[in-house]
Amino acid sequence: MAEVKISAEIRTEFGKGAARRTRRANRVPAVIYGHGADTVHVTLPGHDLMMALKTANALLGLDIEGRKELVIPKAVQRNAIKGFIEHVDLLAVKRGEKVTVEVAVHTEGELAPGANLLENVLNTLTVEAEATHIPESVTVSVAGLGAGDSIVAKDVPLPSGTTLVTDEDAVVIQILAAQAEEPAPEGEGGAEGAEA
């Protein structure tokens, strides 16, 4: 995953009023923590951050007034109505360090013929990966699967260097038989027609 470079500024004002002023200036309040260091309060450019967070588990290279810091987003707080980013918690990481993150599960392929339904029991898997090589997602093939088949976590192919943290026997995808609707009795249809 490519590192996204963003410039950050140290935040010295706190509270709701200060946060509102920061957002009006199209900046987002953020907190950086990790490695036992003191928490650092910063602001980030709103548009740059929004574009970076379109990628799951984005790796951000922050320039905090001349000091470089590598971080990944841990919690993103969005406005419930407008969807803009209100606050973000960032975890400081180092190159070569292993981190635990959630990655999205995508499916590919056609199910076996017949009216079967695919159920994503888990939409994400928890994995451990090197901080600079976090996968955006994992893809599993459902080609040829039929009703009653399932895929468990240990069967999902992971990129090299990525380790599964989720319980290996957890069901990720299962295929269900579609249930046909019972046709309405003929008498009911005739009665409705007569009433109309």
Side-chain angles (χ1 to χ4, degrees):
M1 175 182 304
E3 178 185 330
V4 180
K5 296 191 182 304
I6 298 181
S7 61
E9 294 174 2
I10 296 291
R11 182 163 49 112
T12 55
E13 292 186 303
F14 302 96
K16 286 186 179 179
R20 284 193 193 105
R21 283 192 295 278
T22 299
R23 290 187 199 105
R24 274 198 299 272
N26 194 25
R27 296 191 69 81
V28 178
V31 175
I32 303 170
Y33 61 92
H35 297 136
D38 290 339
T39 301
V40 179
H41 298 270
V42 297
T43 66
L44 303 168
H47 181 72
D48 293 351
L49 181 62
M50 180 191 69
M51 296 306 289
L53 294 184
K54 286 183 183 259
T55 303
N57 298 314
L59 180 66
L60 308 178
L62 300 186
D63 181 345
I64 309 168
E65 300 177 359
R67 181 171 64 89
K68 307 291 187 199
E69 187 79 67
L70 207 56
V71 299
I72 58 172
K74 282 310 270 183
V76 179
Q77 183 182 342
R78 294 182 186 270
N79 180 283
I81 297 168
K82 297 184 178 177
F84 61 82
I85 300 170
E86 291 189 332
H87 187 273
V88 62
D89 288 354
L90 303 168
L91 177 65
V93 295
K94 292 179 178 161
R95 294 186 192 284
E97 176 184 6
K98 294 270 190 179
V99 293
T100 301
V101 294
E102 288 192 353
V103 294
V105 177
H106 297 298
T107 58
E108 65 180 9
E110 296 288 322
L111 295 175
N116 296 319
L117 300 172
L118 184 146
E119 181 186 9
N120 281 69
V121 180
L122 295 178
N123 292 316
T124 61
L125 287 180
T126 304
V127 299
E128 186 180 71
E130 199 266 316
T132 58
H133 292 93
I134 299 171
E136 289 182 35
S137 62
V138 292
T139 303
V140 60
S141 173
V142 295
L145 296 181
D149 290 337
S150 63
I151 296 174
V152 294
K154 66 183 174 189
D155 296 333
V156 176
L158 298 176
S160 174
T162 304
T163 310
L164 183 67
V165 175
T166 299
D167 177 14
E168 63 178 24
D169 294 322
V171 175
V172 179
I173 293 164
Q174 62 185 8
I175 313 302
L176 308 172
Q179 297 179 353
E181 291 185 20
E182 293 182 21
E186 287 182 28
E188 287 181 20
E192 285 175 14
E195 286 174 15

